[in-house]
Amino acid sequence: MVESIIELFTGVIPPWLTVLVISMLPLIGLHGGFVAALLLNVPWEQAIVLAIAGNIIPVPFILIFIRAVLAFMSRNKYLRPISKFLEDKALRKASELVRKYPGRVSIGLFVFVAAPLPGSGAWTGSLISALLGVPFRQSFPMISLGVVGACAIMLILAYAFPYAMGF
């Protein structure tokens, strides 16, 4: 998927902007941003800044507007199934967080966003936070720290580990 997006943007926008845009996308995010940076030969120092920035840019918008967007979608018979799916998925993940970190949802958000697992990350963490009603001033810093944690993990996996293995 990342390769297809790179092909789409090649010759249209510079490689650094491609990394930033890919890092902003749901389901791909920071992890895909690092893959794109590797494929486009973007230096790791620049990849860090671009992947973090790209992954954090959507977070405030999700935290502030997602409840209104989901409410709008739920009133439309064609969009209602998508809204229901997103809410159900987020609430399932939220119940896991609340169970694992009772009384410390902020720490759970950090761990959830930082974990390089499918279905985790800034987009889903922001959705969970908004649906749980976690205040912006509490959730935004923890999600941002989670993005930095995910970046550190991806930096090791994408750059340091292959280098250490002689690739």
Side-chain angles (χ1 to χ4, degrees):
M1 183 180 263
V2 172
E3 290 173 337
S4 299
I5 296 169
I6 290 172
E7 277 184 45
L8 180 69
F9 290 149
T10 299
V12 179
I13 62 175
W16 67 267
L17 189 53
T18 301
V19 173
L20 181 77
V21 170
I22 288 174
S23 297
M24 291 174 65
L25 298 174
L27 303 175
I28 300 173
L30 182 125
H31 310 100
F34 268 103
V35 171
L38 281 168
L39 293 173
L40 295 168
N41 296 317
V42 173
W44 66 269
E45 301 92 339
Q46 195 177 10
I48 290 171
V49 174
L50 294 168
I52 289 174
N55 208 226
I56 290 176
I57 287 170
V59 171
F61 298 99
I62 298 166
L63 291 173
I64 294 167
F65 298 115
I66 196 64
R67 290 178 142 228
V69 169
L70 290 173
F72 169 80
M73 290 172 69
S74 69
R75 291 190 300 270
N76 180 297
K77 70 178 182 177
Y78 301 109
L79 299 176
R80 188 177 303 125
I82 298 168
S83 172
K84 177 105 174 87
F85 169 79
L86 290 172
E87 285 186 50
D88 289 348
K89 177 184 176 185
L91 291 174
R92 241 186 348 268
K93 302 262 186 196
S95 68
E96 293 171 18
L97 279 180
V98 170
R99 199 172 359 91
K100 283 183 184 176
Y101 302 95
R104 302 179 308 235
V105 174
S106 302
I107 294 169
L109 281 172
F110 164 76
V111 171
F112 180 82
V113 173
L117 301 169
S120 68
W123 277 81
T124 309
S126 298
L127 178 60
I128 289 168
S129 178
L131 292 177
L132 288 177
V134 179
F136 182 91
R137 69 182 183 286
Q138 186 179 356
S139 59
F140 183 73
M142 296 311 281
I143 292 168
S144 298
L145 285 174
V147 169
V148 171
C151 181
I153 293 167
M154 286 307 298
L155 181 66
I156 291 167
L157 294 175
Y159 286 89
F161 183 72
Y163 179 79
M165 299 306 285
F167 296 117

